[in-house]
Each structure stands twice: as structure tokens, then as C-alpha cells.
Amino acid sequence: MARQKNYKASLQTVTKGFEAVEDSIKIDLPRNPRNHRQLDHTQYLGLGFDAWAIQSIHVIRTLLQGGNFSVATLIGYSVNGLRFFLGFLGGGAIKSPPATPNSLTKRHMERFISWLKLKYPNGSTAKNYYTSFKSLVIVLADYGFIETNTDDLLPPNPFPNNAQSTKDADPLSMGEMQRLLGALKSDLIAIHKGTFIGNGAEAMSVMLLITAARSGINTTPLLEMTRDALKPHPFVPNLRLINTIKRRGKGAQSKTIRQTNLIDEFSTIPLDGVAVLNKALEISKPLVALASEEIRSHVWLYRSGQRGGENKIVYLKSGALYISTKSICERHALQDDQGDRLHVTLSRLRKTMESRLWKLSGGDILEVSSVMGHSPGVADNHYLKINDEIKVEGATFVGEAFPDKLRGINVTPTPPGGCKDSLYGSRAPKDGVNHCSEFIHCLGCPSYAIVGTVEDLYRLFSYQQFLYAEIEYFLTDEWDEWRKRQLDYIRLINEFTSRKFDVALVNEAKAKAESAPHLFWAKKIEFMKKKRSGSI
């Protein structure tokens, strides 16, 4: 049995209040998106709940030093959690309030929840305050200040219908997204030409919004992105990875973004994730040496522009981003589909990207949640909006399947099957010269097409053999999730072909691919086998 850490060895007893805690009850905070410089619990002393004030600041300081929680999250524990709970205790709502965390009971929690619901009857405010305090209670228990099992302390599902009473922001429609990206593109061209009329915060906001639209990264990790975040993609030359930190849940995250050649002619600059991020790094590079050591690793640096501090170097925060985004929308007179001013947030951009991914993946929620970096449940409940547009345009798995033959439509043969338009298809360069070469992404592309012939199915099952070979090549533990994803593709290919085509046709094509895969995939399989054996 694994040895459990004994917090009481250093914290003595929880029943005497706070004698074991000797640290100051003020914490100076590093720079953070919420712009709080300090947590001060001295304001809570003398109310009869000193143990709550001191023991809470102790665990918050410990978590801050550990580095696994964002500063904004820990601020919430104090500002949104403890502050409102102590307001509840001091308001006389209960006769015998818990003087210490260890005297907290489930009945106290139930009364606190009722108090919050009465005080904040609309929206999600009450739930947010409760969630912050609940998280604080859990860490107090983790560090030995509460001895009661939290399962016996916290009521299950105290806000069961909260989603029905709150209006979540919808993703942008495709029309709204096109208008926004058109405006951002024109601003990007002006930034390249040096004719951009906005301030430094707006220029950085333009490039951050494009990066957000391309990557779907959460707000805080995107704002805190460091200058070394861009990494080479391990497989595809024209893709790059953006490495960011999402402290809640999965920690480090990688997002894939496309890289195309940056054209010198400003009118043809693509909205390219890598090129835009590199431009932000280029513009902010001269400011790094002038910035404080605390922020010089950030990407989104600019000159403050505030009176008296014009030359002060700051980085983009949520408040400045909100103001800049509003200014961009007003300057371009952007409207939503109802004719009102378009309201843009990073949350809406993220949800828009997820909806687009839902379309491309044919509604495969597991695939979407894997790409976006959170659990399927979170994606299903909070991000995906299956609106009428998606219902109409939603693609089936592996694009458009044609069981018998395509009448009047030309399909270009490709290594995994066929493509409706390899020059101007969904993932093609669209320059009229170069054909699409994104073969490992065909299965999620709406331009992909399968004709019910042995030859086309042979190409698809040859690609499946390549997936098997990849799984055998990358056997170390860090590739475990990736291997599961590849196995999902293998399974989906089998399910799709058995459902759409004649069994004898499928078996013939599969046997041919197993004995002698298509030359394109055979060469890749051969290379991986040689690398694995050490012969090359």
C-alpha cells in the first residue's frame, strides 16, 4: 500500500485553531490576469473566525509555491470563496457558526448554499462563489485542517439546473466568423505595412485573436504564452505546435496550427497561425530588453501608452484585450447576424472552433475533446453547440462517401482514397498549382471521398496498415493517448467500410492491403521498421 503523506506531522492539530501556522497572513502575488497584487487576510481577523483566515492563507501560499495552480484560481479561493463564506457566518444566519475549518459540517454547507441562492437568485453567481469555497474546503482537508471526509461534508449536486438558468455565449456563426476574420486580416496587413492606426494593445490583440481562432487555446494560457511556446510538429513539416500551460486539469498542453509560406505581397498574407505568432514575436522582440524580468518571457508585449508611462512595457491582460477587441469590432462596424454590434470573446472563438471541429469530425465527440484538450463531458456540456448550420453542413466520417459511383463528379486518387478537389479542397493550398499533400488528415477532411471500388478501398486499408505500423513504432508511455486515438481511427475505418460497402468488396481490398500495401504507405512502413530495428 502506498504511503500517505501525514500533513499533521508538520501542522500539529487542527482542533486548536491556528497555533501551528506562524507565517504572515498576507501574500504578495506575481503578475496575473486578474491584476491582484496581494491577498490580505488581516481584514478577516477579530470577527471570531481567525482560524479560517490564517489556515486558508497558509494553504493558498503553499499551493502558490507549488506552481500547479494558476494565480487566478488561488485568488478565487480567497476573494470568491472565503470572503463570501465569512460574510455568511458573520451575518447571523446560523446560531453556532464553525469557528474553525475543522468544525465545519454538512449542515453548515447546506445553509451556505441556501444563503447564496437567496442572495444571488439569477445566473451562475451563486454557483461560482460556492465552487470557489468548495475548492478551498477540499485543499484545507488535503492539508489536514479538516478531518471530516469531504464526501460526507459536501452536498452532491447543489445546483442541479444551473445550466438552464444561465445564458451561455454562443459560438459565432460562419458568417460572423468570416466577417471577423476579414477585419482581422485587413488589420494584419496594416500592421505589416506599418499603417495600422490602433495602439500597441490593439495590434497585439489582432494577432492574439487570430491565434485564438486558429488554436482554440483557453484565455489564461493564451495570455500567459511564453516566447518559446512554438515547437516543430513531430510528423508534419507545415504544422507547428504551441505549447501552453493549463494548470487546471491536464497541465501542459500542445495545440497544432498550420504553417504556410508568408507571402511578401501584403494583400495575399494568409491568416496563418504560425506566421501571425511569429509576427507578434518579431514586433515585441525589441521590447524584451526594456521589460521587467517578471514579464519579458511573454509574447504579447507592448508600450503602455498611458499618460506618464508611455514607454512602460506591459503585456496584454484580459481587461486590455476586452477593450481592444471592442474597439476593433467598432472600428470595422462588425455586426452579428441580427444586425447588432458583434460581441467577440476568446470563449466564443474557442466554442466556434470546437463547433467547426465537430463538423469536420462528423460529430465524433471523443475526437473533438481530444483535440481541444479536455474531457468529452466538458466538451459536450459547455462548448459544442449543434446549431442548424452544423446540422445542415455536418460531414459524415471520412468526408463524403459514395458507395457505388460518383455521377458527374471527378475524384482525384490519393494515397488514402480520393479527393473531390485536391487543388481547392478544404486542406489544399488553394493556389491553383500545388495539390494537397495532407494525407494523414484526409479522414477528417470534408473533401475526402471514397468510391466503391477495390482500388479506392485498397488505398484506405493501406493507410490503415500504416496506422498499425505507427502504433508499433511509438511504444513508449508518453504516446499512450496518441496510440488510443490511432486505434480509434482503425476501428472507425472498419466500421465505416462494413456499413457502406459490400462485404466481399471490403474483404478483397483489405486482403490486398495486408499482403502488399499501396507503395506510398509501404515505403513509410518499411522506413519505420528499419528505424525500429536499428538498421538505419
Side-chain angles (χ1 to χ4, degrees), residues 160-185:
N161 299 311
N162 185 71
Q164 298 177 10
S165 62
T166 58
K167 178 65 173 72
D168 202 10
D170 291 325
L172 300 173
S173 70
M174 290 302 111
E176 292 168 341
M177 192 67 170
Q178 287 171 357
R179 293 192 289 276
L180 172 63
L181 291 179
L184 293 175
K185 182 175 181 178

Side-chain angles (χ1 to χ4, degrees), residues 5 7 11 21 23 27 55-69 74 139 143 145:
K5 183 173 180 179
Y7 295 106
L11 299 179
V21 181
D23 297 324
I27 301 177
Q55 293 176 358
S56 295
I57 205 75
H58 175 83
V59 296
I60 290 173
R61 178 185 288 107
T62 303
L63 295 177
L64 179 64
Q65 293 170 347
N68 292 322
F69 290 75
L74 298 179
V139 296
Y143 280 81
F145 288 116

Side-chain angles (χ1 to χ4, degrees), residues 172-365:
L172 300 173
S173 70
M174 290 302 111
E176 292 168 341
M177 192 67 170
Q178 287 171 357
R179 293 192 289 276
L180 172 63
L181 291 179
L184 293 175
K185 182 175 181 178
S186 67
D187 279 348
L188 182 63
I189 292 171
I191 290 170
H192 276 270
K193 288 182 176 180
T195 60
F196 183 67
I197 62 174
N199 57 30
E202 282 189 35
M204 282 296 163
S205 295
V206 167
M207 292 179 281
L208 184 143
L209 289 170
I210 294 173
T211 304
R214 285 290 188 179
S215 65
I217 299 174
N218 282 291
T219 301
T220 298
L222 186 59
L223 290 171
E224 295 180 349
M225 183 187 296
T226 57
R227 305 186 69 80
D228 60 351
L230 201 59
K231 305 293 184 183
H233 192 283
F235 303 119
V236 188
N238 69 333
L239 295 179
R240 291 294 182 269
L241 296 176
I242 298 180
N243 291 332
T244 58
I245 298 296
K246 182 182 179 184
R247 295 174 184 84
R248 186 190 73 240
K250 295 189 177 182
Q253 292 187 316
S254 291
K255 297 290 180 185
T256 306
I257 59 174
R258 183 174 307 282
Q259 179 188 35
T260 57
N261 292 327
L262 183 61
I263 309 300
D264 291 334
E265 298 175 9
F266 297 113
S267 61
T268 57
I269 293 175
L271 282 177
D272 174 281
V274 173
V276 172
L277 187 52
N278 281 335
K279 187 64 179 177
L281 289 167
E282 174 191 332
I283 291 174
S284 59
K285 184 176 180 180
L287 306 180
V288 173
L290 304 176
S292 66
E293 185 175 354
E294 192 176 10
I295 69 168
R296 63 181 50 164
S297 64
H298 287 250
V299 172
W300 317 106
L301 300 175
Y302 63 96
R303 295 184 185 275
S304 171
Q306 293 184 349
R307 183 176 299 178
E310 290 83 358
N311 293 321
K312 181 181 179 182
I313 308 303
V314 296
Y315 75 97
L316 206 58
K317 297 178 183 177
S318 55
L321 176 64
Y322 173 80
I323 295 172
S324 297
T325 302
K326 183 178 179 181
S327 177
I328 291 168
C329 292
E330 290 177 345
R331 178 157 42 82
H332 290 279
L334 294 178
Q335 295 181 335
D336 60 22
D337 291 342
Q338 286 71 46
D340 299 322
R341 185 180 69 83
L342 183 63
H343 177 62
V344 177
T345 65
L346 293 192
S347 176
R348 294 195 74 186
L349 288 178
R350 178 171 172 81
K351 293 172 186 178
T352 304
M353 184 185 181
E354 293 231 4
S355 296
R356 177 175 175 271
L357 285 170
W358 187 92
K359 251 193 297 191
L360 294 179
S361 69
D364 182 354
I365 186 67

Side-chain angles (χ1 to χ4, degrees), residues 72-84:
T73 296
L74 298 179
I75 291 172
Y77 289 179
S78 174
V79 174
N80 293 342
L82 181 65
R83 179 163 67 102
F84 285 91

Side-chain angles (χ1 to χ4, degrees), residues 399-413:
E400 296 183 4
F402 302 88
D404 299 312
K405 61 182 179 180
L406 294 173
R407 301 181 183 275
I409 301 177
N410 295 319
V411 174
T412 303

Side-chain angles (χ1 to χ4, degrees), residues 107 137 177 188 203 207 276 373 387 409 431 445 457 488 519:
R107 180 57 179 161
V137 168
M177 192 67 170
L188 182 63
M207 292 179 281
V276 172
N387 53 27
I409 301 177
D431 57 8
C445 177
L457 290 174
D488 282 341
L519 185 61

